């Protein structure tokens, strides 16, 4: 195909660049739950972009809000100055978050939100008279972004290779993905005791050295690892016993993916800090945020001298006027269209359809919760080979999915119909049964 531009200059993220440029998968427009690739074919979006667009693509309400904001106030310095949008959005988010999480700090991505949460934890303990708490505890098979803080916390080996020793003082607990729990719908009954790995870290390093433990309520990028029943509650209790902060990374699970505004509510566990991004603006404008318990904010700010900066951290684009306008419009869409309720309604049908793939010969496991699903495929000679083949074949047949190694991940938009969910599953069945 002849193009008016070159494919030579763009170094693509998390992409097999050479393979892509030999056979590009190019999207040129979108509407609702469909994308259009450059030859004109329709592609059903089975992953909400990258977990970003649950309200469907190209919402006119968001586009109008962004356009108006660009003509009214395109930028304002966030350092020692501000604009109404940041305060309005923070107030609105506090109404969705668990009780007590009323302080919002804005970033521009999930990666930045995680690094911000790490700094908040360190600042809290320092202000609280415990500067020796510098360690972080996270998990194997976790993903917390690609900046050096989140990368150090993360437990995906390929992401970490080649970047040196990363940040010191990070301890990894075991993951919760174990063979006895294969083909389990929702939460498994085995594995809550794995939360005791936090106790082991305390015994090894001393509670007085540990600032926070961070987990994804549901591990997303590795392939939808659902926490065992009681695991998150147990982690909360252990953290409380030892004065350790609990951070939930809800960059993927936030804004309805589990049927509630946040997974913290779905699992009835309130963290001390909570990160968000992706669906905050429905993917329209980059934005991330951290929600903090009131006591975190009050402790950090009250110990600083009057008229002094209390938290030496921030970004040029924190609470960017256009991003806040997009987020406000998106939250209105969620309310007016009842998208939290819609996600909850679709969960049953989606999970039933997802597990209908269980008997396909190449399928070795299926996991799901809410509008998140993962299908593990049998490894073909080397890890990732079959998954990449599936990704390409699914796109060619008209379905966009997220693939990690040999795992197909589905995260349909909340505006999908049951017929469209069925169509997604049919695409997967067609491709996998012929591999």
């Amino acid at each position: 195909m002849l193009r008016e531009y070159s494919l030579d200059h763009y170094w693509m993220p998390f992409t097999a660049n050479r393979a892509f440029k030999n056979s590009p998968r190019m999207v040129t427009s979108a509407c609702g739950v469909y994308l259009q690739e450059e030859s004109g074919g329709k592609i059903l979006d089975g992953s909400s972009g990258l977990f970003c667009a649950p309200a469907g693509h190209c919402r006119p309400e968001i586009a109008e809000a962004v356009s108006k904001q660009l003509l009214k106030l395109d930028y304002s310095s966030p350092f020692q100055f501000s604009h109404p949008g940041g305060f309005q959005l923070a107030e609105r988010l506090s109404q969705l978050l668990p009780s007590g999480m009323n302080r919002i700090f804005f970033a521009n991505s999930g990666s930045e939100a995680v690094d911000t949460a790490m700094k908040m934890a360190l600042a809290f303990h320092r202000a609280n008279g415990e500067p020796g708490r510098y360690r972080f505890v996270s998990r194997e098979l976790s993903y917390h972004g690609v900046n050096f803080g989140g990368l150090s916390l993360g437990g995906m080996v390929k992401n970490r290779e080649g970047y040196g020793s990363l940040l010191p003082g990070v301890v990894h607990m075991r993951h919760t993905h174990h063979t006895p729990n294969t083909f389990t719908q929702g939460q498994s009954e085995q594995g809550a005791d794995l939360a005791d790995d936090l106790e082991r870290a305390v015994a090894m390093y001393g509670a007085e050295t540990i600032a926070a433990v961070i987990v994804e309520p549901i591990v997303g990028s590795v392939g939808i690892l659902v926490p065992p029943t009681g695991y998150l509650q147990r982690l909360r209790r252990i953290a409380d016993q030892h004065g350790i902060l609990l951070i939930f990374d809800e960059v993927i699970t936030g804004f309805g993916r589990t049927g509630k505004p946040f997974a913290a509510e779905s699992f009835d566990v309130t963290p001390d800090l909570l990160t968000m991004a992706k669906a905050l603006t429905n993917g329209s404008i980059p934005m991330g945020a951290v929600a903090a318990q009131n006591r975190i904010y009050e402790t950090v700010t009250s110990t600083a001298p009057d008229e002094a900066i209390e938290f030496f951290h921030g970004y040029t684009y924190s609470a960017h006027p256009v991003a806040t306008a997009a987020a406000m419009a998106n939250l209105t869409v969620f309310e007016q269209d009842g998208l939290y309720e819609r996600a909850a309604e679709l969960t049953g049908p989606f999970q039933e359809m997802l597990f209908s793939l269980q008997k396909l010969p190449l399928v070795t496991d299926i996991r799901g919760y809410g509008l998140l699903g993962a299908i593990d495929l049998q490894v073909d000679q080397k890890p990732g080979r079959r998954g990449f083949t599936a990704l390409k074949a699914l796109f060619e047949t008209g379905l966009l999915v997220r693939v990690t190694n040999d795992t197909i991940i589905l995260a349909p938009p909340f505006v999908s119909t049951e017929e469209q969910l069925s169509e997604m599953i049919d695409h997967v069945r067609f491709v996998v049964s012929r591999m």
Side-chain angles (χ1 to χ4, degrees), residues 159-175:
N159 288 3
R160 297 166 59 89
E161 284 180 351
Y163 299 113
S165 59
L166 303 178
L167 296 185
V170 175
V171 181
H172 287 85
M173 303 184 293
R174 289 171 293 175
H175 60 76

Side-chain angles (χ1 to χ4, degrees), residues 31-249:
C31 183
V33 300
Y34 290 98
L35 310 165
Q36 183 170 304
E37 48 101 9
E38 62 182 346
S39 65
K42 286 176 66 176
I43 305 293
L44 188 57
D45 187 352
S47 61
S48 300
L50 198 60
F51 312 100
C52 293
H57 292 280
C58 297
R59 295 290 307 223
E61 304 94 326
I62 300 175
E64 183 179 0
V66 166
S67 177
K68 286 182 177 179
Q69 185 61 51
L70 279 169
L71 293 172
K72 182 180 180 181
L73 177 66
D74 59 343
Y75 179 77
S76 174
S77 170
F79 303 162
Q80 305 284 14
F81 304 93
S82 195
H83 63 96
F87 295 92
Q88 293 165 349
L89 179 57
E91 181 180 14
R92 198 157 178 186
L93 287 172
S94 72
Q95 296 165 359
L96 290 173
L97 287 152
S99 177
M101 303 202 78
N102 294 328
R103 309 295 184 165
I104 315 297
F105 192 103
F106 290 106
N108 307 291
S109 66
S111 294
E112 289 183 2
V114 167
D115 279 28
T116 298
M118 293 176 73
K119 285 187 175 181
M120 283 181 175
L122 295 172
F124 168 77
H125 288 301
R126 186 176 185 85
N128 206 33
E130 296 186 279
R133 288 185 181 266
Y134 68 94
R135 295 187 196 275
F136 289 89
V137 180
S138 58
R139 286 191 299 200
E140 300 169 348
L141 295 185
S142 62
Y143 179 79
H144 297 293
V146 295
N147 293 344
F148 267 90
L151 189 62
S152 302
L153 297 175
M156 298 176 72
V157 175
K158 283 294 182 184
N159 288 3
R160 297 166 59 89
E161 284 180 351
Y163 299 113
S165 59
L166 303 178
L167 296 185
V170 175
V171 181
H172 287 85
M173 303 184 293
R174 289 171 293 175
H175 60 76
T176 62
H177 183 40
H178 296 283
T179 303
N181 296 329
T182 53
F183 296 107
T184 298
Q185 293 194 43
Q187 294 183 270
S188 66
E189 295 302 318
Q190 302 180 56
D193 59 309
L194 289 164
D196 293 344
D197 279 9
L198 182 56
E199 287 278 18
R200 294 171 63 184
V202 168
M204 180 70 181
Y205 301 102
E208 69 279 3
T209 72
I210 300 175
V213 55
I214 180 170
V215 295
E216 301 160 87
I218 297 174
V219 178
S221 294
V222 170
I224 317 307
L225 309 185
V226 182
T229 299
Y231 175 87
L232 294 175
Q233 289 82 355
R234 197 158 173 168
L235 207 59
R236 174 76 274 181
R237 287 197 300 271
I238 296 170
D240 286 342
Q241 288 167 10
H242 298 288
I244 298 168
L245 299 185
L246 175 62
I247 305 172
F248 274 4
D249 185 344

